[in-house]
Amino acid sequence: EEVIEAAVREDVDAIGISSLTGAHNVIFARLFELMREKGLTVPVFAGGTIPDEEIPGLKRMGVLEVFLPGTPLDEIVRFVQKLAKA
């Protein structure tokens, strides 16, 4: 709830969530539920310790990209820059 409240208040262009808890499916499901309630339509991307087999489910929810541990920072920066240009 705090992420969505901050996103609305700050008029963000995207939301990036890092999940290290293993609760990413619950977190992202709730995030998208709250986004729909608030009418917030911004790109969402993820990072963290997310098993490969769970990435397709996150993408079906609406997560645009998932960055796993070890992803080079410049790859993430390029992704965010592409979002900014769009």
Side-chain angles (χ1 to χ4, degrees):
E1 286 100 5
E2 291 176 18
V3 170
I4 296 303
E5 291 301 321
V8 170
R9 183 177 58 251
E10 301 296 329
D11 192 29
V12 301
D13 295 319
I15 295 174
I17 301 282
S18 179
S19 176
L20 302 173
T21 66
H24 44 273
N25 289 318
V26 173
I27 291 168
F28 283 99
R30 180 72 174 140
L31 181 84
F32 285 112
E33 177 184 343
L34 291 169
M35 286 177 68
R36 283 188 297 277
E37 287 176 11
K38 298 286 186 180
L40 184 61
T41 56
V42 297
V44 174
F45 58 99
T49 52
I50 298 170
D52 289 338
E53 62 271 9
E54 295 185 19
I55 293 172
L58 291 174
K59 289 189 173 185
R60 280 191 298 276
M61 274 187 224
V63 175
L64 289 181
E65 191 59 75
V66 177
F67 298 101
L68 300 176
T71 301
L73 182 58
D74 63 328
E75 183 179 329
I76 300 167
V77 169
R78 279 193 305 273
F79 175 80
V80 173
Q81 287 173 331
K82 270 176 67 174
L83 287 178
K85 289 178 184 175

